[in-house]
Amino acid sequence: MPITPLHLGLGASCKALGNRKFSFLIFAGAQVLMDLEPLLGIILGWKTLHLYTHNLIGALFIGIIAIIIGKPMSEIILRTIDQESKRYITWKVAAFSAFIGSFSHILLDAFMHADMYPFFPLSKSQILLGLIPYSYIFYGCLIGFIIGGVAFLIRELLSTPSKFS
């Protein structure tokens, strides 16, 4: 399934750990950009769904696009949610979040997809395929999403002064 929420578990954990030094929105945007190729492949009936974006060069390219598009879009979203906020995302945070998003995506997918070649075009080796069972990846990401999400929410609740005090 393209544009799977599976990868967001890692993003939620990174957000919980990094707080303001990590943008979950840019990370999530990188995930969507990475999976545009498989989505098009499914629609158009391609035999190989994970080729051009799902390798080290593709992840670098997608990461750069995610930085350029993700920083302004994420800032607009954050300001729309909290209009009193003057929060902004630095280019350093945008780059870190986008590249964690794109490179972690190929790492996780390299364990699962038989049509993925992380070192393409230099090699069509699949050295990571099947090393970790899919269920471990799935539940690991799910648990990461739950723990990361809860930790982030607790941090936000504790750092926000109550309107009723």
CSV table of all heavy atoms in Angstrom, one decimal, residues 41-62:
chain,number,residue,atom,x,y,z
A,41,GLY,N,3.1,3.8,-9.9
A,41,GLY,CA,3.4,2.5,-10.4
A,41,GLY,C,2.1,1.6,-10.3
A,41,GLY,O,1.9,0.8,-11.2
A,42,ILE,N,1.4,1.7,-9.2
A,42,ILE,CA,0.2,0.9,-9.1
A,42,ILE,C,-0.9,1.4,-10.1
A,42,ILE,O,-1.5,0.6,-10.7
A,42,ILE,CB,-0.3,1.0,-7.6
A,42,ILE,CG1,0.6,0.2,-6.7
A,42,ILE,CG2,-1.8,0.5,-7.5
A,42,ILE,CD1,0.3,0.5,-5.2
A,43,ILE,N,-1.0,2.7,-10.2
A,43,ILE,CA,-2.0,3.2,-11.1
A,43,ILE,C,-1.7,2.9,-12.6
A,43,ILE,O,-2.5,2.5,-13.3
A,43,ILE,CB,-2.1,4.8,-11.0
A,43,ILE,CG1,-2.7,5.1,-9.6
A,43,ILE,CG2,-2.9,5.4,-12.1
A,43,ILE,CD1,-2.5,6.6,-9.2
A,44,LEU,N,-0.4,2.9,-12.9
A,44,LEU,CA,0.0,2.7,-14.3
A,44,LEU,C,0.4,1.3,-14.6
A,44,LEU,O,0.8,0.9,-15.7
A,44,LEU,CB,1.2,3.7,-14.7
A,44,LEU,CG,0.8,5.2,-14.6
A,44,LEU,CD1,2.1,6.0,-14.8
A,44,LEU,CD2,-0.3,5.5,-15.5
A,45,GLY,N,0.4,0.4,-13.6
A,45,GLY,CA,0.7,-1.0,-13.8
A,45,GLY,C,2.2,-1.3,-14.0
A,45,GLY,O,2.5,-2.3,-14.7
A,46,TRP,N,3.1,-0.6,-13.4
A,46,TRP,CA,4.5,-0.9,-13.5
A,46,TRP,C,4.9,-2.2,-12.8
A,46,TRP,O,4.3,-2.5,-11.7
A,46,TRP,CB,5.4,0.2,-12.9
A,46,TRP,CG,5.2,1.6,-13.5
A,46,TRP,CD1,4.7,1.9,-14.7
A,46,TRP,CD2,5.6,2.8,-13.0
A,46,TRP,NE1,4.7,3.2,-15.0
A,46,TRP,CE2,5.3,3.8,-13.9
A,46,TRP,CE3,6.2,3.2,-11.7
A,46,TRP,CZ2,5.5,5.2,-13.7
A,46,TRP,CZ3,6.4,4.6,-11.5
A,46,TRP,CH2,6.1,5.5,-12.5
A,47,LYS,N,5.9,-2.9,-13.3
A,47,LYS,CA,6.3,-4.1,-12.6
A,47,LYS,C,7.2,-3.8,-11.4
A,47,LYS,O,7.1,-4.5,-10.4
A,47,LYS,CB,7.1,-5.0,-13.6
A,47,LYS,CG,6.3,-5.6,-14.6
A,47,LYS,CD,7.1,-6.5,-15.5
A,47,LYS,CE,6.2,-7.0,-16.7
A,47,LYS,NZ,7.0,-7.9,-17.6
A,48,THR,N,8.0,-2.8,-11.4
A,48,THR,CA,8.8,-2.4,-10.3
A,48,THR,C,8.3,-1.1,-9.7
A,48,THR,O,8.2,0.0,-10.4
A,48,THR,CB,10.3,-2.1,-10.8
A,48,THR,OG1,10.8,-3.4,-11.4
A,48,THR,CG2,11.2,-1.8,-9.6
A,49,LEU,N,7.9,-1.1,-8.5
A,49,LEU,CA,7.3,0.0,-7.8
A,49,LEU,C,8.3,0.9,-7.0
A,49,LEU,O,8.0,2.0,-6.7
A,49,LEU,CB,6.1,-0.4,-6.9
A,49,LEU,CG,5.0,-1.2,-7.5
A,49,LEU,CD1,4.0,-1.7,-6.5
A,49,LEU,CD2,4.3,-0.4,-8.6
A,50,HIS,N,9.4,0.3,-6.6
A,50,HIS,CA,10.3,1.0,-5.7
A,50,HIS,C,11.7,1.1,-6.4
A,50,HIS,O,12.6,0.3,-6.0
A,50,HIS,CB,10.4,0.2,-4.4
A,50,HIS,CG,9.1,0.1,-3.7
A,50,HIS,ND1,8.3,-1.0,-3.9
A,50,HIS,CD2,8.5,0.8,-2.8
A,50,HIS,CE1,7.2,-0.9,-3.1
A,50,HIS,NE2,7.3,0.2,-2.4
A,51,LEU,N,11.9,2.0,-7.3
A,51,LEU,CA,13.2,2.0,-8.0
A,51,LEU,C,13.8,3.3,-7.9
A,51,LEU,O,14.9,3.5,-7.3
A,51,LEU,CB,13.0,1.6,-9.5
A,51,LEU,CG,14.3,1.4,-10.3
A,51,LEU,CD1,15.2,0.3,-9.7
A,51,LEU,CD2,13.9,1.1,-11.7
A,52,TYR,N,13.3,4.4,-8.5
A,52,TYR,CA,14.0,5.7,-8.6
A,52,TYR,C,14.0,6.5,-7.3
A,52,TYR,O,15.0,7.2,-7.1
A,52,TYR,CB,13.4,6.5,-9.8
A,52,TYR,CG,13.6,5.7,-11.1
A,52,TYR,CD1,12.5,5.1,-11.7
A,52,TYR,CD2,14.9,5.6,-11.6
A,52,TYR,CE1,12.7,4.4,-12.9
A,52,TYR,CE2,15.1,4.9,-12.8
A,52,TYR,CZ,14.0,4.3,-13.5
A,52,TYR,OH,14.2,3.6,-14.6
A,53,THR,N,12.9,6.4,-6.6
A,53,THR,CA,12.9,7.2,-5.3
A,53,THR,C,13.4,6.4,-4.1
A,53,THR,O,13.8,7.0,-3.1
A,53,THR,CB,11.5,7.8,-5.0
A,53,THR,OG1,10.6,6.7,-4.8
A,53,THR,CG2,11.0,8.7,-6.1
A,54,HIS,N,13.4,5.1,-4.2
A,54,HIS,CA,13.7,4.2,-3.1
A,54,HIS,C,15.1,3.7,-3.2
A,54,HIS,O,15.4,2.5,-3.1
A,54,HIS,CB,12.7,3.1,-3.0
A,54,HIS,CG,11.4,3.5,-2.5
A,54,HIS,ND1,10.5,4.3,-3.2
A,54,HIS,CD2,10.8,3.2,-1.3
A,54,HIS,CE1,9.4,4.5,-2.5
A,54,HIS,NE2,9.6,3.9,-1.3
A,55,ASN,N,16.1,4.6,-3.3
A,55,ASN,CA,17.5,4.3,-3.2
A,55,ASN,C,18.2,5.5,-2.6
A,55,ASN,O,17.6,6.5,-2.3
A,55,ASN,CB,18.0,3.9,-4.6
A,55,ASN,CG,17.9,5.0,-5.6
A,55,ASN,OD1,18.4,6.1,-5.4
A,55,ASN,ND2,17.1,4.8,-6.6
A,56,LEU,N,19.5,5.4,-2.4
A,56,LEU,CA,20.2,6.5,-1.7
A,56,LEU,C,20.2,7.8,-2.4
A,56,LEU,O,20.0,8.9,-1.9
A,56,LEU,CB,21.6,6.1,-1.4
A,56,LEU,CG,21.8,4.9,-0.4
A,56,LEU,CD1,23.3,4.5,-0.4
A,56,LEU,CD2,21.3,5.3,1.0
A,57,ILE,N,20.3,7.7,-3.8
A,57,ILE,CA,20.3,9.0,-4.6
A,57,ILE,C,18.9,9.5,-4.6
A,57,ILE,O,18.7,10.7,-4.4
A,57,ILE,CB,20.8,8.7,-6.0
A,57,ILE,CG1,22.2,8.3,-6.0
A,57,ILE,CG2,20.6,9.9,-6.9
A,57,ILE,CD1,22.8,7.7,-7.3
A,58,GLY,N,17.9,8.7,-4.7
A,58,GLY,CA,16.5,9.1,-4.7
A,58,GLY,C,16.1,9.7,-3.4
A,58,GLY,O,15.4,10.7,-3.3
A,59,ALA,N,16.6,9.1,-2.3
A,59,ALA,CA,16.3,9.7,-1.0
A,59,ALA,C,16.9,11.0,-0.8
A,59,ALA,O,16.3,11.9,-0.1
A,59,ALA,CB,16.8,8.7,0.1
A,60,LEU,N,18.1,11.2,-1.3
A,60,LEU,CA,18.7,12.6,-1.2
A,60,LEU,C,17.9,13.6,-2.0
A,60,LEU,O,17.6,14.7,-1.5
A,60,LEU,CB,20.1,12.5,-1.8
A,60,LEU,CG,20.9,13.8,-1.8
A,60,LEU,CD1,21.1,14.3,-0.4
A,60,LEU,CD2,22.2,13.6,-2.6
A,61,PHE,N,17.5,13.2,-3.2
A,61,PHE,CA,16.7,14.1,-4.0
A,61,PHE,C,15.3,14.4,-3.4
A,61,PHE,O,14.9,15.6,-3.3
A,61,PHE,CB,16.5,13.5,-5.4
A,61,PHE,CG,15.6,14.3,-6.4
A,61,PHE,CD1,16.1,15.4,-6.9
A,61,PHE,CD2,14.4,13.8,-6.7
A,61,PHE,CE1,15.4,16.2,-7.8
A,61,PHE,CE2,13.6,14.6,-7.6
A,61,PHE,CZ,14.1,15.8,-8.1
A,62,ILE,N,14.6,13.4,-2.9
A,62,ILE,CA,13.3,13.6,-2.2
A,62,ILE,C,13.5,14.4,-0.9
A,62,ILE,O,12.7,15.3,-0.6
A,62,ILE,CB,12.7,12.2,-1.9
A,62,ILE,CG1,12.3,11.5,-3.2
A,62,ILE,CG2,11.5,12.4,-1.0
A,62,ILE,CD1,11.2,12.1,-4.0
